[in-house]
């Protein structure tokens, strides 16, 4: 039953388009963005870090994961590398580099417009053009 519920939630997530998100990224002046798909969240964060004008690093401290997917991933021997950030997604949402203030406004408006949550999941600092997930990241089940 948990697998069926996770499947339904995944299907609904993939069906949601990013039009509102794209409009709000402009409004709140996102400096970089990508959809999280085939390279997983960490792969896409590394790609963003490598392609900025200034050398930066991304640190991810929070992973939003569909409810029960951590349990399912562990149950199949971690073959999808979900907790390491490399789980390929069909439609994993948007990853943005945006100011903290901009992110807070974005989160509030996306909830108002689409009744969907968004989160601050990490930080961007001057760095060496890479990305990492902290040990024991916070998991938000969605």
């Amino acid at each position: 039953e948990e697998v069926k519920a996770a499947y339904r939630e995944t299907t609904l997530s993939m069906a949601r388009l990013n039009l509102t998100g794209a409009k709000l990224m402009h409004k709140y002046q996102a400096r970089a963005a990508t959809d999280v798909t085939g390279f997983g969240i960490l792969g896409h964060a590394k790609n963003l870090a490598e392609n900025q004008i200034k050398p930066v690093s991304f640190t991810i401290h929070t992973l939003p994961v569909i409810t029960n997917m951590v349990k399912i991933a562990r149950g199949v021997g971690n073959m999808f590398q979900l907790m390491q950030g490399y789980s390929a997604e069909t439609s994993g949402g948007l990853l943005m580099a945006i100011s903290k203030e901009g992110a807070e406004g974005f989160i509030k408006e996306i909830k108002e417009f689409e009744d969907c949550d968004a989160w601050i999941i990490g930080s961007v600092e001057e760095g060496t053009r890479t990305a990492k997930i902290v040990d024991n990241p916070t998991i938000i089940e969605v």
Side-chain angles (χ1 to χ4, degrees):
E1 194 58 36
E2 290 176 344
V3 172
K4 287 181 182 179
Y7 178 81
R8 282 190 298 274
E9 188 61 34
T10 302
T11 303
L12 291 173
S13 175
M14 287 187 286
R16 195 172 138 243
L17 298 176
N18 291 320
L19 178 62
T20 302
K23 288 179 179 178
L24 292 175
M25 282 191 303
H26 287 285
K27 179 176 181 178
Y28 290 104
Q29 301 177 346
R31 298 296 181 211
T34 185
D35 62 332
V36 178
T37 53
F39 301 114
I41 195 163
L42 186 59
H44 283 284
K46 285 182 177 180
N47 190 20
L48 278 181
E50 290 169 357
N51 290 287
Q52 298 308 302
I53 294 170
K54 295 181 179 180
V56 298
S57 293
F58 287 57
T59 301
I60 299 170
H61 55 65
T62 303
L63 294 172
V65 179
I66 291 174
T67 300
N68 292 316
M69 292 310 293
V70 171
K71 186 187 311 182
I72 292 167
R74 289 182 178 141
V76 297
N78 196 35
M79 64 189 272
F80 300 112
Q81 297 186 338
L82 177 67
M83 300 305 294
Q84 291 75 29
Y86 289 111
S87 179
E89 309 289 340
T90 300
S91 179
L94 298 172
L95 175 63
M96 296 173 228
I98 188 169
S99 71
K100 184 172 170 64
E101 297 77 21
E104 290 167 353
F106 180 100
I107 289 167
K108 182 178 179 219
E109 281 200 56
I110 198 100
K111 183 69 172 177
E112 289 172 5
F113 293 150
E114 293 191 346
D115 194 31
C116 288
D117 293 313
W119 308 270
I120 296 173
I121 64 161
S123 60
V124 180
E125 304 90 21
E126 186 175 328
T128 58
R129 300 187 185 279
T130 191
K132 69 178 182 177
I133 297 176
V134 299
D135 292 335
N136 301 310
T138 300
I139 304 298
I140 299 174
E141 287 196 308
V142 297

